[in-house]
Structures are given as C-alpha cells and as structure tokens.
C-alpha cells in the first residue's frame, strides 16, 4: 500500500497549522506591515540566544522574514491565540515582507523542555519534507506568562529570491521594478500581476537563466498580488509572491477568502455531509471522477478524528497507529490510500486549509482514488477535528 501523507506527530504540528478556537477567545491584535518585500535578509548572530542558535543550525539557513513569522507564532501561543492555518501563515509572511511560498510550520511547548530532545525533534521535522531549492528557516522562542517555554520555526525551500526591495505601499500609475534571482535550474520565468477586479496578466519579463527583471504599474487603487512563476524541471510553479497596495492600506486582519466548492457545504444536515459536498464540488470542478462514500472508511476516519481530539494533536499517528495499520485493524485493504487531517474553527475553514495545502490537495484531487471516508468531531471548545480517508480498490482484507 502506498500512502500519500502529511507528516505530523504529538510534539509538533506540521503545515497546515489549523486555527484552534478558545473558550474565551483573546483579542486578535491588529497586524502591521513591513515597508517592503525582499529576500534574503540575514539574521544577526547577536539576535539569537545560544539555544536558539543551535536550533537555527538544525533548521536551515536563517531568514529574517521567516524569523518574524516564527516570532508571531510564539507570541500568539503565549497570548493563548489559535495556531495560524496556511492562509494565516502566508498572510504573516506577506505582512513581514517575506516573499517565499509553501511554508511549513513547527511549534513545540512545555515546561522545562530538554534542549537535546527539542533539537532532535526539530531535525526530524526538517527532514520530513524536501522541495527544490535552498532550505531557509526562521526560528524564535519565548515564554508564556505561566512559564511555558515555546519554540517555533517556519521553514521552506526557496527556489528564488526577490533581490530588490518591492514597496508594500505605492500609488496607482507608479512604475515598480521586480528583480529576482532564481536559485535552481530553470528554462523560463515570468511575473504575473493581478489587481482588484481585474484578470491576471503577465507583464514583460526578461530572464537570463538566473536573473529576472520585470516592471509594472498598478492601474487603479487597491491590492495587487505580484507572483514570480518559474519553469522548473517539474513544470511551472510559483516561486515568489508579494502584496502591493496602491493608494490603499494593507489589511489589519487576515482576509476571509473562500476555496472552490466551499459554498456547496451550506445547508447540509451535518458537518460530515457538508464536508463531503465541498469535496465533491471541488472534484467536479476539476473534472475528476466522483468519490463513493464508504461506511467502513467513515468508521476508520471517525476513530482517528476522535483520537486526535483526545490527544489534542493533529497527526496521522497519535497513538492509534498509522493509516495503513488502522485500515488493517479494520479488516480492510487498498492498493493505494491517503489521509488528510485538520483541526479548525469550522468545517469550512478545515476544507479551505486542506485545499490551500498542495500536499493535502493532492489527495483531494487524485483521480485514482475511488472511495472516501469522512469524519467531523465537535470539540467542546467549539472547534472541529476532521479526518478524510481516501482509498483505491478498497476491499476486505484476506486471511493472513
């Protein structure tokens, strides 16, 4: 059985980190934005404690913008605020002037944590994912008012850098220069800009195999997304993104942006049916075969969602075995299986976070999957725990 999974374990949360509601929710602070977007930006050794320096070396090359995001995670945890989902992490990156894509987040907390154990956990997490490019990382630590020690890291593999500062604020009609350097072999690169109420447009771009140069002018007031797309060995893929605000102010709260299929979940009899409708709508939009809901997989998903809630941990093995073991324990076999898990404030936000995570979305849109099991567990704090189990050629397991 080949499993398409996202890593996670009890002491760490791997991206996407999904928002956790509080019984008495602390007030969300207003976000402030950097004046420009740029990379790489070095982290001074004097900024790091000895323990932070050890952890930073275990995580990857230091990046100041990512360290700013890691600080946000530590501060949110210390204040009792929820974890940021992928939308939130990306928003924090853009607000911090950090342009890279596909971030992974790691956070661990506890009293009197063993430094050596933290190093091993961080190193194991670092090795749990690998993209193209140069591993960059931001590391921060701090303490909650009750003395809880918190360590957070944001890591990604950078395939390009925005080598010239791009202002966050500008005026409509003002020309801006996008200058970047691609760090992996590439056959092409282009800059795409989309503004308020307009269609995405590719702006004139030069590329010499490494250096990218482009210019554009916002044609109206509002928010513009600037994206660098690189033609790599695996095909076109986003490499960098930045937000530019023409004659307008950046948002002070994380925008609430829907994902494809999200509206189809409204009016369902229960949260599990709502999630199934959203997933079915997404696959229909992608012209993929419909998935057949299977009660046996529902039971597997339900058991794992309940176990995650009990363990207060999002992961694929939280003491009840990995997905392969859980299928086997249920007397099932499959030629291929996958699993998505989430903890979010609502089932809609869970679907949105899973859709926006490339690795989770790969399970959602894998054409070979034919059967589906879903479970949504309501937490007493008002949040939900979600498990999606996908299978190909599901059958009762034969005798051993």
């Amino acid at each position: 059985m080949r499993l398409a999974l996202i890593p996670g374990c009890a002491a760490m949360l791997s991206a996407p980190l999904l928002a956790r509601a509080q019984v008495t929710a602390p007030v969300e602070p207003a976000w402030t934005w950097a004046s420009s977007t740029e990379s790489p930006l070095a982290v001074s050794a004097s900024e790091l404690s000895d323990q932070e320096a050890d952890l930073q070396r275990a995580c990857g090359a230091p990046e100041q913008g990512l360290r700013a995001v890691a600080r946000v995670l530590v501060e949110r945890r210390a204040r009792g605020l929820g974890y940021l989902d992928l939308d939130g992490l990306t928003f924090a990156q853009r607000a911090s002037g950090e342009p890279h894509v596909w971030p992974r987040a790691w956070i661990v907390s506890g009293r009197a944590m063993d430094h050596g154990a933290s190093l091993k956990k961080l190193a194991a997490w670092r090795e749990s994912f690998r993209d193209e490019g140069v591993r960059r990382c931001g590391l921060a630590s701090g303490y909650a008012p009750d003395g809880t020690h918190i360590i957070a890291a944001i890591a990604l593999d950078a395939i390009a850098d925005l080598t010239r500062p791009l202002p966050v604020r500008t005026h409509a009609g003002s020309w801006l220069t996008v200058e970047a350097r691609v760090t992996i072999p590439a056959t092409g690169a282009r800059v795409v800009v989309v503004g308020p109420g307009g269609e995405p447009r590719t702006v004139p771009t030069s590329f010499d195999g490494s250096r990218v140069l482009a210019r554009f002018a916002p044609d109206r007031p509002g928010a513009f997304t600037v994206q660098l797309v690189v033609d790599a060995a695996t095909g076109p893929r986003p490499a960098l993104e930045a937000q530019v605000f023409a004659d307008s102010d950046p948002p002070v709260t994380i925008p609430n942006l829907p994902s494809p299929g999200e509206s189809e979940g409204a009016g369902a009899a229960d949260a599990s049916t709502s999630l199934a409708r959203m997933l079915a709508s997404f696959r229909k939009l992608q012209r993929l075969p419909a998935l057949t809901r299977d009660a046996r997989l529902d039971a597997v998903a339900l058991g794992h969602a309940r176990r995650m809630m009990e363990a207060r941990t999002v992961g694929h093995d939280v003491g009840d075995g990995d997905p392969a073991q859980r299928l086997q324990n249920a007397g099932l076999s499959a030629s291929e299986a996958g699993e998505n898990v989430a903890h979010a404030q609502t089932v809609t936000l869970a679907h949105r976070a899973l859709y926006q995570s490339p690795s989770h979305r790969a399970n959602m849109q894998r054409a070979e999957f034919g059967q589906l099991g879903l479970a949504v567990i309501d937490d007493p704090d008002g949040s939900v725990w979600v498990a999606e189990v996908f299978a190909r050629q599901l059958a009762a397991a034969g005798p051993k």
Side-chain angles (χ1 to χ4, degrees):
M1 176 185 294
R2 184 168 70 85
L3 297 174
L5 303 175
I6 309 303
C9 69
M12 315 180 268
L13 295 179
S14 57
L17 294 175
L18 304 178
R20 176 179 174 181
Q22 307 292 322
V23 175
T24 303
V27 176
E28 288 273 353
W31 290 76
T32 58
W33 285 67
S35 61
S36 62
T37 303
E38 183 183 9
S39 68
L41 292 175
V43 176
S44 171
S46 62
E47 294 183 39
L48 304 175
S49 67
D50 291 343
Q51 288 192 347
E52 284 180 331
D54 287 344
L55 291 163
Q56 180 69 71
R57 284 189 289 270
C59 189
E63 175 72 49
Q64 187 65 259
L66 293 176
R67 176 167 161 78
V69 179
R71 283 201 196 100
V72 168
L73 292 185
V74 171
E75 292 170 2
R76 291 179 67 86
R77 174 66 179 83
R79 294 185 182 193
L81 293 166
Y83 292 111
L84 294 177
D85 60 15
L86 187 57
D87 267 354
L89 288 174
T90 301
F91 182 84
Q93 281 182 268
R94 303 302 166 253
S96 300
E98 212 294 315
H100 295 107
V101 299
W102 299 0
R104 275 83 165 183
W106 179 87
I107 187 166
V108 63
S109 61
R111 300 291 187 91
M113 289 193 299
D114 181 77
H115 181 54
S118 297
L119 278 171
K120 289 180 181 179
K121 291 173 182 176
L122 179 57
W125 169 74
R126 180 191 188 280
E127 295 305 316
S128 69
F129 62 93
R130 171 59 58 189
D131 292 324
E132 297 177 277
V134 180
R135 177 61 54 85
R136 302 279 177 75
C137 179
L139 190 287
S141 66
Y143 291 86
D146 64 1
T148 298
H149 188 195
I150 307 162
I151 304 170
I154 304 293
L156 48 79
D157 291 326
I159 65 171
D161 283 306
L162 193 61
T163 54
R164 178 170 177 161
L166 186 67
V168 168
R169 292 174 174 85
T170 189
H171 298 289
S174 296
W175 286 95
L176 302 177
T177 299
V178 179
E179 187 171 329
R181 179 177 62 88
V182 177
T183 60
I184 63 171
T187 58
R190 56 198 174 278
V191 172
V192 181
V193 177
V194 60
E199 295 294 325
R201 59 188 179 97
T202 300
V203 301
T205 307
S206 65
F207 177 60
D208 64 4
S210 174
R211 184 170 178 262
V212 178
L213 188 64
R215 298 188 75 209
F216 77 99
D219 59 358
R220 70 193 77 178
F224 288 76
T225 299
V226 183
Q227 183 183 74
L228 172 64
V229 178
V230 170
D231 296 321
T234 55
R237 56 161 289 185
L240 301 170
E241 287 187 1
Q243 292 287 305
V244 174
F245 299 88
D247 300 311
S248 62
D249 293 324
V252 297
T253 60
I254 300 174
N256 186 30
L257 301 175
S259 57
E262 195 171 296
S263 62
E264 297 301 316
D270 55 68
S272 179
T273 301
S274 175
L275 184 62
R277 288 181 179 178
M278 288 186 278
L279 183 55
S281 178
F282 167 74
R283 285 181 66 92
K284 184 176 181 180
L285 290 169
Q286 298 295 314
R287 298 183 179 179
L288 294 168
L291 296 169
T292 300
R293 188 86 177 264
D294 190 287
R296 298 168 297 177
L297 290 181
D298 280 351
V300 173
L302 180 63
H304 188 58
R306 183 175 291 119
R307 179 63 180 172
M308 287 194 299
M309 183 178 69
E310 293 170 352
R312 313 305 299 175
T313 299
V314 176
H316 296 289
D317 186 349
V318 290
D320 55 347
D322 64 23
Q325 292 172 315
R326 286 185 270 114
L327 284 179
Q328 185 177 19
N329 292 343
L332 301 172
S333 68
S335 62
E336 186 175 3
E339 180 180 78
N340 289 341
V341 290
H343 179 207
Q345 290 177 329
T346 67
V347 68
T348 300
L349 290 178
H351 173 75
R352 186 181 304 177
L354 292 171
Y355 164 77
Q356 291 175 344
S357 167
S359 48
H360 292 88
R361 195 188 304 180
N363 281 340
M364 295 166 65
Q365 65 183 42
R366 189 161 183 79
E368 290 80 2
F369 286 146
Q371 292 84 34
L372 171 70
L374 293 176
V376 180
I377 297 289
D378 294 323
D379 194 291
D381 69 7
S383 62
V384 294
W385 298 83
V386 171
E388 299 176 341
V389 181
F390 305 86
R392 178 185 183 189
Q393 297 176 338
L394 183 70
K400 295 183 180 179

